[in-house]
C-alpha cells in the first residue's frame, strides 16, 4: 500500500495497532463505530488481539493480513477490529476466556469471531495461510465462518450464548468463599514442589515459564522453615534459568519463556514485568542464601533494564523489547553462528567462548541450524580441565569475548523497543528497583525508581478520576488516549508508593498510597460478595461493548501477579500503618473468596499464597530512629534477611522526635524508652505492639530470628 491509502489505524496510539496501518484491511479500533457498522451491515466481527512483541502476531500479519486476497475476503465479509492486549487488558482477558472455552487454547494472536454486538461464537489463536500445523487455513476459516453466520445464524447465536455463559462463570467465584486456613499456603507450596523439574529447574515441562510469584513464596517459606528441599527448588531454578538461553548472556535480562524444558531456546521477546519480578526473586534468593551469584544476576538485570527499558530523561520504564527485527527474523539478533563469533574474537577467545556458551557449527535454531543460542554449557572449572588454562585467564578471555560480542551485536538491526509506559507495569518495576537498591546498596536504581514513581503520580493520578492505564505511548507523534486504569494499575501503584515510603521515609508517598487505595476500594470493590473486579464501575453514560459488561475477579497469576491478591497485600500493609479495621476487613474478605479453591490453582495462585502469608503473620516493621553511623549498621542487620511480611524504615529524629511516622506508629514509637531520650535504636513492631528498643545490631538479628523472620538464612 502507499502512504495515501493508510487504513484507519494510522490514527491509533498503540504501537501494535500502528504497525498495521499499511495493511490492505479496513481495520477498526475497538469502539462504538465498529460495532454500529457491523450491526448496520449485518456482518460478523473479526477480532484480532495481539501485541507488538508477539512473534506469531508478526507471522500472521505477514502471511495473512498483508495478503491482498485474504484482505479482500475480510473487507467484504467482516468488520475487522484490532486490539493491543497491553493497551486493553480488559478486552483481552474476556475474549481469552471465550476462545479458550471454544478451542481449549488461548494466547496471541487471539483470533475471535463475534456477532455484530460483540458476542464471541468461534475463535482460535494463530491460523496459517494454508492448511498446516494441523490447523485449517485462515482463508478456509474466514469463508466458513462468513457462510455459517448467514446460513446457520440460529446456531451461531446459540453458540454465542453458551460462550458468554462460560465468560460470566469464569472467575466469578460465586458461592466459593470459605474461612481462610493456613493450609492453603502449604497446598500451593506442595503443588509447586510436585511440579518441580529436579534435573533442569523450573516447573513442569516445555514450554517453561519462570513463575516469579511461586519462587518468592518458596523463598519466604524456606526462610521460615529452613526446609532444604524448598531451598533446592528455588535455588536450582534460579541458577538453571540464569545459565540458560532464556537469559540474555550478553546484555542481561530475561526473555519471556523457554520453548524447551532445559531453558535453552527462548521466545526472544523481553518484557519489563518479567524482569521486574525476576529481579525481586534474585534479590530475595540472595538474602535467603547469601549466594553472590544471585546478587550478580540481579545487578545484571538492572544493567539491561537501565540500558534498554528506561526513559533516562524523564523517568519511567518501557514496556518490552520485540523478539524480532523483521518479519523474516526469528531471534537472529540474539543468536550466533560460529563464523559470526570467529569474525569478532581472537582465536583464544573463540576457544574459551565456544566451550562456555556452546557455540558450534550446528546450533539450536530450526529456521537456521547454524545459529546458536548462547547459554552456559561449561563452567570455568570445566574449561580449565579441557584447555589447561588458569581460571583467571579464562575469566579474562570470557569477559573480553562477551564485551566484543555484545559490541558486535549492537551493530545489528535491533528488535523494536515499545516505549509505551504502562502504569501498573511501571509500578512493578519501581518496587523491584527499590528492593534491589535496598538490599544491594545501589544508589542509582533507587534514584531512578523514585523519579519514575514521581512522574507516574504527577501524570496519571487525578484525585477526581483516579489512575490512567497509560502514561505515555511509544510514538511521540501519536495521539494520547486516556484509558482508565484497571485493578492491577491501582494495586501495583499502592505497593510501589508504600515501598517508596519505606525507602525514603517521605510521608507524601504513604499519603499517595492511602489515597489510591481508597480510590481502589471505591471503584473496584464488590460491596456485596467482597473482592475486587478487574475494571472500575462504569459511568452512567458509558456503553460497555461486546462482553465488557462481564465482571471478573482475577486471582490467578497470568503472568503478572493477580490483581485481587496484590490488592489484599496492599490493604494489609496499609492496615499495619493505620490500624484502620476496614482495610483489614476488605483484605480478609478478598482472601476468603477463593479460600476453598486456591489450593487447586497450585503455583498459579502463588501471589494469593503470599497474600495469605501477610494475613497469617502480622506485619513486622523494623523502625530505626537516629542520626549517627549506628543507624546504618542497624539498617544492614534488619534488611539482611528476607520475609514477605517484613519492612524496614529508617527515620531521622528531630530533637529526639522521630519524623514522618504514619498514624499507627506515631501513636507508639515516640513514647518508647530510648526513643524519648534521643538514642539511636531499632524497634520491632508487629500487630500494633512494639518490643523494647535495641541498639546492638547482633541483638536485633537475634530478635528477628526469634520471630521466625530470619530462620534458615
Amino acid at each position: 500500500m502507499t502512504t495515501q491509502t493508510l487504513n484507519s489505524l494510522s490514527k491509533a496510539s498503540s504501537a501494535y495497532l500502528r504497525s498495521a496501518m499499511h495493511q490492505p484491511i479496513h481495520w477498526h479500533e475497538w469502539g462504538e463505530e465498529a460495532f454500529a457498522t457491523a450491526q448496520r451491515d449485518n456482518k460478523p466481527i473479526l477480532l484480532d488481539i495481539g501485541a507488538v512483541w508477539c512473534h506469531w502476531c508478526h507471522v500472521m500479519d505477514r502471511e495473512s493480513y498483508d495478503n491482498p486476497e485474504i484482505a479482500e475476503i475480510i473487507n467484504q465479509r467482516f468488520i475487522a477490529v484490532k486490539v493491543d492486549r497491553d493497551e486493553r487488558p480488559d478486552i483481552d482477558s474476556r475474549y481469552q476466556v471465550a476462545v479458550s472455552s471454544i478451542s481449549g487454547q488461548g494466547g496471541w494472536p487471539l483470533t475471535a469471531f463475534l456477532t455484530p454486538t460483540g458476542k464471541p461464537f468461534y475463535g482460535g489463536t494463530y491460523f496459517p495461510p494454508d492448511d498446516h500445523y494441523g490447523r485449517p487455513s485462515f482463508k478456509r476459516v474466514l469463508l466458513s465462518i462468513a457462510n455459517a453466520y448467514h446460513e446457520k445464524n440460529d446456531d451461531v447465536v446459540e453458540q454465542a450464548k453458551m460462550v458468554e455463559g462460560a465468560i460470566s462463570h469464569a472467575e466469578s467465584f460465586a458461592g466459593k468463599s470459605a474461612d481462610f486456613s493456613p493450609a492453603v499456603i502449604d497446598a500451593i507450596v506442595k503443588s509447586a514442589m510436585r511440579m518441580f523439574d529436579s534435573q533442569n529447574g523450573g516447573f513442569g515441562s516445555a514450554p517453561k515459564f519462570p513463575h516469579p510469584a511461586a519462587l518468592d513464596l518458596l523463598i519466604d517459606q524456606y526462610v521460615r522453615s529452613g526446609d532444604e528441599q524448598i531451598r533446592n527448588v528455588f535455588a536450582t531454578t534460579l541458577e538453571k534459568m540464569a545459565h540458560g538461553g532464556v537469559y540474555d548472556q550478553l546484555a542481561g535480562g530475561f526473555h519471556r519463556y523457554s520453548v524447551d524444558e532445559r531453558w535453552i531456546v527462548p521466545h526472544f521477546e523481553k518484557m519489563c514485568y518479567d524482569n521486574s519480578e525476576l529481579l525481586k526473586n534474585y534479590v530475595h534468593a540472595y538474602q535467603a542464601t547469601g549466594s553472590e551469584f544471585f546478587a550478580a544476576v540481579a545487578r545484571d538485570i538492572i544493567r539491561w533494564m537501565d540500558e534498554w527499558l528506561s526513559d533516562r530523561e524523564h523517568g519511567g520504564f518501557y514496556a518490552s523489547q520485540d523478539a524480532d527485527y523483521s518479519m523474516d527474523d526469528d531471534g537472529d539478533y540474539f543468536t550466533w553462528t560460529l563464523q559470526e563469533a570467529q569474525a569478532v574474537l581472537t582465536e583464544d577467545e573463540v576457544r574459551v567462548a565456544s566451550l562456555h556458551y556452546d557455540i558450534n557449527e550446528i546450533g539450536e535454531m530450526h529456521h537456521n541450524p547454524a545459529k546458536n543460542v548462547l547459554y552456559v554449557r561449561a563452567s570455568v572449572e570445566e574449561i580449565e580441565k579441557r584447555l589447561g588454562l588458569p581460571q583467571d585467564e579464562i575469566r579474562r578471555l570470557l569477559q573480553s569475548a562477551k564485551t566484543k560480542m555484545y559490541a558486535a551485536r549492537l551493530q545489528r538491526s535491533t528488535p523494536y523497543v515499545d516505549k509505551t509506559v504502562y502504569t501498573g507495569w511501571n509500578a512493578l518495576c519501581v518496587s523491584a528497583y527499590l528492593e534491589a537498591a535496598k538490599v544491594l546498596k545501589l544508589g542509582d536504581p533507587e534514584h531512578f525508581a523514585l523519579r519514575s514513581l514521581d512522574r507516574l503520580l504527577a501524570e496519571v493520578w487525578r484525585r477526581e478520576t483516579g489512575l490512567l492505564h497509560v502514561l505515555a505511548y511509544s510514538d511521540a507523534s501519536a495521539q494520547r488516549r486516556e484509558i482508565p486504569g484497571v485493578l492491577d494499575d491501582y494495586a501495583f501503584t499502592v505497593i510501589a508508593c508504600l515501598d517508596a515510603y519505606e525507602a525514603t521515609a517521605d510521608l507524601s508517598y504513604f499519603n499517595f498510597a492511602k489515597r489510591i487505595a481508597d480510590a481502589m476500594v471505591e471503584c473496584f470493590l464488590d460491596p456485596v460478595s467482597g473482592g475486587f473486579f478487574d475494571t472500575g464501575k462504569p459511568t452512567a453514560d458509558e456503553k460497555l461493548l461486546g462482553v465488557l459488561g462481564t465482571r471478573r475477579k482475577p486471582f490467578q497469576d497470568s503472568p503478572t501477579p493477580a490483581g485481587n491478591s496484590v490488592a489484599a497485600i496492599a490493604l494489609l500493609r496499609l492496615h499495619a500503618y493505620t490500624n484502620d479495621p476496614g482495610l483489614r476487613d476488605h483484605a480478609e474478605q478478598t482472601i476468603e473468596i477463593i479460600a476453598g479453591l486456591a489450593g487447586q490453582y497450585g503455583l498459579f495462585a502463588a501471589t494469593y499464597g503470599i497474600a495469605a502469608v501477610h494475613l497469617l503473620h502480622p506485619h513486622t516493621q523494623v523502625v530505626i530512629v537516629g542520626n549517627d553511623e549506628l543507624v546504618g549498621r542497624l539498617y544492614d542487620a534488619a534488611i539482611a534477611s528476607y520475609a514477605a511480611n517484613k519492612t524496614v524504615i529508617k527515620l531521622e529524629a528531630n530533637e529526639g522526635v522521630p519524623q514522618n511516622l504514619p498514624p499507627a506508629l506515631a501513636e507508639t514509637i515516640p513514647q518508647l524508652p530510648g526513643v524519648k531520650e534521643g538514642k539511636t535504636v531499632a524497634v520491632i513492631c508487629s500487630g500494633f505492639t512494639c518490643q523494647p528498643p535495641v541498639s546492638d545490631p547482633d541483638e536485633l538479628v537475634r530478635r528477628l530470628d526469634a520471630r521466625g523472620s530470619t530462620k534458615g538464612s
Side-chain angles (χ1 to χ4, degrees):
M1 295 184 73
T2 67
T3 53
Q4 282 71 42
T5 55
L6 295 176
N7 61 46
S8 66
L9 296 185
S10 63
K11 299 182 176 67
S13 302
S14 142
Y16 176 61
L17 301 190
R18 292 175 69 81
S19 71
M21 69 170 74
H22 295 89
Q23 291 173 353
I25 292 176
H26 302 154
W27 286 114
H28 299 256
E29 290 190 70
W30 179 276
E32 291 186 28
E33 183 267 338
F35 286 89
T37 303
Q39 291 171 60
R40 183 194 68 211
D41 297 349
N42 190 28
K43 289 182 177 179
I45 293 170
L46 164 63
L47 175 64
D48 171 74
I49 303 178
V52 73
W53 46 262
C54 167
H55 170 73
W56 285 102
C57 300
H58 300 327
V59 172
M60 195 159 172
D61 277 337
R62 180 190 62 206
E63 293 176 341
S64 295
Y65 295 134
D66 286 343
N67 183 313
E69 185 183 358
I70 291 177
E72 186 176 3
I73 296 171
I74 293 171
N75 291 336
Q76 286 182 354
R77 300 187 176 224
F78 296 89
I79 300 300
V81 176
K82 204 171 188 74
V83 169
D84 181 341
R85 62 87 49 209
D86 296 344
E87 184 185 40
R88 293 300 304 266
D90 54 334
I91 299 172
D92 176 61
S93 60
R94 285 157 176 77
Y95 286 99
Q96 288 286 348
V97 172
V99 171
S100 292
S101 72
I102 294 166
S103 68
Q105 181 182 8
W108 303 283
L110 195 77
T111 309
F113 295 94
L114 323 178
T115 67
T117 57
K119 312 301 183 188
F121 62 90
Y122 185 72
T125 52
Y126 163 78
F127 288 101
D130 305 302
D131 293 350
H132 198 36
Y133 306 116
R135 299 169 188 247
S137 73
F138 194 41
K139 189 190 305 182
R140 185 148 63 92
V141 169
L142 290 167
L143 293 171
S144 298
I145 292 295
N147 291 336
Y149 175 75
H150 292 289
E151 296 169 9
K152 301 179 181 179
N153 191 259
D154 289 346
D155 293 343
V156 166
V157 171
E158 186 62 30
Q159 172 75 356
K161 286 180 182 176
M162 291 171 59
V163 175
E164 189 173 16
I167 301 171
S168 64
H169 283 99
E171 295 185 336
S172 65
F173 305 111
K176 305 292 185 183
S177 63
D179 290 336
F180 168 74
S181 165
V184 73
I185 301 171
D186 292 334
I188 296 168
V189 168
K190 286 175 182 173
S191 173
M193 301 284 280
R194 281 195 300 271
M195 291 183 68
F196 175 57
D197 178 347
S198 59
Q199 183 173 352
N200 303 299
F203 307 98
S205 56
K208 196 171 266 185
F209 289 81
H211 298 290
L215 292 169
D216 251 8
L217 179 61
L218 291 171
I219 294 168
D220 176 82
Q221 293 301 293
Y222 163 66
V223 171
R224 292 179 193 284
S225 68
D227 185 334
E228 290 298 320
Q229 284 186 294
I230 296 177
R231 184 189 195 279
N232 180 55
V233 171
F234 74 76
T236 300
T237 298
L238 292 171
E239 287 165 6
K240 295 284 190 179
M241 282 170 42
H243 284 143
V246 75
Y247 189 67
D248 187 339
Q249 299 295 332
L250 298 183
F254 282 90
H255 301 290
R256 199 163 68 94
Y257 69 94
S258 174
V259 300
D260 65 286
E261 70 278 358
R262 295 167 56 208
W263 302 108
I264 292 177
V265 180
H267 247 231
F268 287 94
E269 61 270 14
K270 296 166 90 173
M271 314 301 298
C272 70
Y273 56 75
D274 286 328
N275 283 280
S276 71
E277 302 314 281
L278 285 162
L279 174 55
K280 294 173 192 171
N281 287 160
Y282 282 91
V283 170
H284 296 157
Y286 167 66
Q287 288 176 285
T289 67
S291 169
E292 285 294 333
F293 174 75
F294 295 140
V297 175
R299 293 187 193 97
D300 214 33
I301 294 171
I302 291 173
R303 173 174 70 97
W304 176 74
M305 293 181 74
D306 279 352
E307 184 174 0
W308 290 95
L309 289 194
S310 297
D311 185 338
R312 307 311 294 179
E313 182 179 354
H314 305 101
F317 294 88
Y318 301 142
S320 62
Q321 183 177 27
D322 203 342
D324 318 312
Y325 62 79
S326 77
M327 293 293 189
D328 300 311
D329 171 35
D330 187 4
D332 286 350
Y333 173 77
F334 298 99
T335 55
W336 291 78
T337 66
L338 180 58
Q339 289 71 29
E340 286 170 337
Q342 290 169 334
V344 297
L345 302 180
T346 67
E347 189 175 328
D348 284 344
E349 288 166 347
V350 170
R351 289 171 67 212
V352 170
S354 61
L355 285 173
H356 186 63
Y357 292 126
D358 197 33
I359 306 172
N360 295 298
E361 291 284 357
I362 303 298
E364 294 80 21
M365 302 303 294
H366 294 300
H367 78 292
N368 182 357
K371 279 282 193 176
N372 292 265
V373 178
L374 303 187
Y375 70 100
V376 178
R377 174 67 181 273
S379 67
V380 170
E381 292 76 16
E382 290 173 274
I383 297 171
E384 179 188 28
K385 291 176 185 175
R386 291 279 298 275
L387 300 182
L389 292 173
Q391 290 190 18
D392 286 348
E393 175 66 4
I394 293 169
R395 291 190 184 94
R396 186 191 68 77
L397 288 168
L398 280 176
Q399 185 56 52
S400 174
K402 184 174 174 180
T403 300
K404 288 179 181 179
M405 292 175 76
Y406 187 42
R409 199 176 85 177
L410 291 173
Q411 303 306 309
R412 299 175 177 176
S413 297
T414 306
Y416 179 76
V417 172
D418 181 7
K419 295 185 178 180
T420 306
V421 180
Y422 291 105
T423 296
W425 295 357
N426 259 255
L428 290 176
C429 293
V430 166
S431 290
Y433 262 48
L434 290 175
E435 187 77 349
K438 174 182 72 178
V439 174
L440 303 177
K441 304 191 187 318
L442 304 172
D444 287 345
E446 178 180 306
H447 178 69
F448 185 76
L450 295 172
R451 277 183 62 212
S452 300
L453 182 58
D454 291 345
R455 181 186 179 196
L456 199 73
L457 296 172
E459 297 187 29
V460 301
W461 165 250
R462 295 164 193 168
R463 194 188 290 262
E464 303 78 21
T465 55
L467 284 171
L468 297 174
H469 179 59
V470 183
L471 190 158
Y473 282 96
S474 191
D475 187 339
S477 65
Q479 176 188 347
R480 179 177 172 183
R481 307 293 171 93
E482 296 210 339
I483 298 173
V486 294
L487 174 62
D488 287 3
D489 295 319
Y490 282 76
F492 299 167
T493 303
V494 174
I495 295 283
C497 289
L498 290 174
D499 290 340
Y501 166 67
E502 289 157 5
T504 64
D506 183 340
L507 209 53
S508 65
Y509 290 120
F510 170 80
N511 292 331
F512 268 116
K514 184 68 171 68
R515 285 196 292 269
I516 296 170
D518 288 344
M520 179 177 73
V521 169
E522 172 64 27
C523 295
F524 297 88
L525 184 74
D526 179 350
V528 178
S529 304
F532 292 86
F533 296 116
D534 65 329
T535 54
K537 298 174 184 173
T539 58
D541 58 347
E542 184 179 357
K543 190 173 182 181
L544 296 174
L545 302 170
V547 294
L548 291 189
T550 305
R551 308 308 300 271
R552 293 179 61 247
K553 292 180 183 175
F555 275 96
Q556 292 192 65
D557 303 327
S558 59
T560 51
N564 267 276
S565 303
V566 178
I569 293 168
L571 295 181
L572 288 168
R573 284 180 61 178
L574 270 171
H575 171 252
Y577 285 126
T578 62
N579 203 9
D580 177 348
L583 295 173
R584 182 177 174 85
D585 289 346
H586 294 323
E588 194 163 1
Q589 197 172 12
T590 298
I591 289 171
E592 287 179 346
I593 284 177
I594 65 159
L597 283 178
Q600 299 172 26
Y601 290 124
L603 78 173
F604 294 98
T607 305
Y608 178 89
I610 295 170
V613 169
H614 281 264
L615 182 66
L616 182 64
H617 301 281
H619 198 255
T620 298
Q621 297 142 333
V622 185
V623 183
I624 299 166
V625 184
N627 301 316
D628 58 16
E629 58 83 26
L630 179 57
V631 168
R633 291 195 288 128
L634 289 168
Y635 187 76
D636 289 347
I639 65 169
S641 62
Y642 174 67
N645 64 318
K646 182 187 71 177
T647 56
V648 184
I649 311 167
K650 189 167 49 176
L651 301 172
E652 291 186 358
N654 185 8
E655 296 182 358
V657 179
Q659 303 300 299
N660 298 326
L661 284 164
L665 294 179
E667 292 179 2
T668 53
I669 297 291
Q671 314 307 321
L672 293 173
V675 177
K676 287 197 293 186
E677 288 80 38
K679 295 179 180 178
T680 295
V681 295
V683 182
I684 301 173
C685 298
S686 184
F688 307 103
T689 301
C690 295
Q691 294 184 21
V694 58
S695 296
D696 177 21
D698 293 335
E699 176 60 22
L700 177 59
V701 169
R702 281 192 289 273
R703 290 193 187 181
L704 287 169
D705 186 55
R707 296 193 56 78
S709 296
T710 61
K711 185 178 179 182
S713 65

